[in-house]
Amino acid sequence: MKKVIIVLTIMFTATFVNAQGSDKAKALLDEVYNKVQSYDNIFVDFKFDLKNAEAGINQETRGDVTLAGNKYMFNYLGSQQIFDGNKVYTIVPENEEVTIEDKSEDENAMTPSKMLTFYKEGHNYAWDILQDIQGRKIQYVKLTPIDSDTEIKSRLLGIDMGTKHIYNLIETGKNGTKTTITVNSFKTDQTLSKTLFTFDEAKYKDEGYFILRN
């Protein structure tokens, strides 16, 4: 957030307030991060909303993800993605196709395993508005990417102050696209199948799927 400040005393006051806000925001995000890290596993059912008025885009869909450590199973747009800690398996039933690839080496890439912890690095923080949403106090923290070359203008991360869980993420792109992810259901420490993050290649071959390795 940039302001043109003429009077020196006002500048010092604003700097102090902004620093306080940044410290409060970081402290809240650290609390959320530590809580997320304390769970053995997490299940999130979410709504995904994509809007760009200029381009005439208005899309809404749902998905879910199960996270355990760095492993995940992600269901979205009729496809499923599994990461077993080494390989990423993308299963598309409509095309009867499976793509197998190595984990992305791009540390900045947004992946399901970073869905609840992406804010930990690469952003400047600012304390934003507090909203009452259906009786829940949602405190927003504004995240501004440190990398000026990114396509992301800013992100607003809504934190449920009662649970210290993420309620939603509102991302605004430099091209005017606004993406909102809202958590519908957040469950922790569920009993998971031992094979949940295991890809059974033989099963899909028997079902006639085309297996593509990248």
Side-chain angles (χ1 to χ4, degrees):
M1 180 173 61
K2 295 181 179 179
K3 294 180 179 180
V4 177
I5 303 175
I6 301 175
V7 181
L8 191 59
T9 54
I10 296 178
M11 181 186 71
F12 284 147
T13 302
T15 301
F16 177 67
V17 171
N18 287 341
Q20 282 189 316
S22 177
D23 289 344
K24 283 173 62 179
K26 185 179 185 306
L28 176 59
L29 293 182
D30 284 344
E31 188 175 354
V32 173
Y33 178 83
N34 291 333
K35 192 163 188 179
V36 166
Q37 294 297 99
S38 72
Y39 299 126
D40 289 334
N41 59 71
I42 296 171
F43 170 82
V44 178
D45 176 89
F46 62 89
K47 180 176 73 172
F48 181 91
D49 187 68
L50 180 68
K51 286 185 172 64
N52 186 314
E54 187 175 335
I57 298 173
N58 188 357
Q59 300 174 352
E60 184 178 305
T61 188
R62 298 181 73 149
D64 65 74
V65 60
T66 301
L67 304 159
N70 68 337
K71 299 178 181 179
Y72 63 78
M73 183 178 71
F74 182 47
N75 296 295
Y76 181 66
L77 291 177
S79 64
Q80 183 178 83
Q81 191 173 84
I82 298 171
F83 178 55
D84 62 7
N86 294 302
K87 299 282 187 180
V88 179
Y89 307 88
T90 304
I91 304 159
V92 185
E94 183 179 359
N95 299 336
E96 294 190 333
E97 182 178 279
V98 176
T99 302
I100 303 175
E101 52 195 335
D102 292 329
K103 174 186 175 181
S104 174
E105 296 300 323
D106 183 1
E107 294 183 356
N108 296 317
M110 182 66 79
T111 64
S113 57
K114 294 181 180 179
M115 189 174 180
L116 300 177
T117 60
F118 74 91
Y119 52 82
K120 188 65 176 174
E121 298 177 349
H123 297 86
N124 291 316
Y125 311 128
W127 197 255
D128 211 89
I129 63 171
L130 175 68
Q131 288 190 336
D132 188 314
I133 301 178
Q134 297 179 339
R136 300 164 68 182
K137 299 298 183 183
I138 307 299
Q139 176 63 56
Y140 283 91
V141 173
K142 187 174 183 180
L143 310 174
T144 304
I146 294 173
D147 181 4
S148 60
D149 292 331
T150 180
E151 296 179 0
I152 305 304
K153 181 179 179 181
S154 66
R155 294 179 169 114
L156 278 174
L157 192 63
I159 308 298
D160 186 322
M161 295 300 283
T163 63
K164 295 301 192 297
H165 291 160
I166 294 174
Y167 168 71
N168 68 350
L169 168 67
I170 304 169
E171 182 178 276
T172 302
K174 292 179 179 177
N175 64 354
T177 298
K178 179 174 284 188
T179 304
T180 304
I181 299 175
T182 305
V183 174
N184 295 318
S185 176
F186 190 101
K187 299 177 182 179
T188 63
D189 296 338
Q190 303 289 291
T191 301
L192 304 180
S193 166
K194 293 181 180 180
T195 60
L196 184 64
F197 306 111
T198 301
F199 175 71
D200 187 347
E201 184 169 341
K203 169 191 170 185
Y204 287 96
K205 282 184 176 179
D206 289 344
E207 293 178 1
Y209 276 63
F210 177 71
I211 309 293
L212 176 63
R213 298 179 186 275
N214 287 342

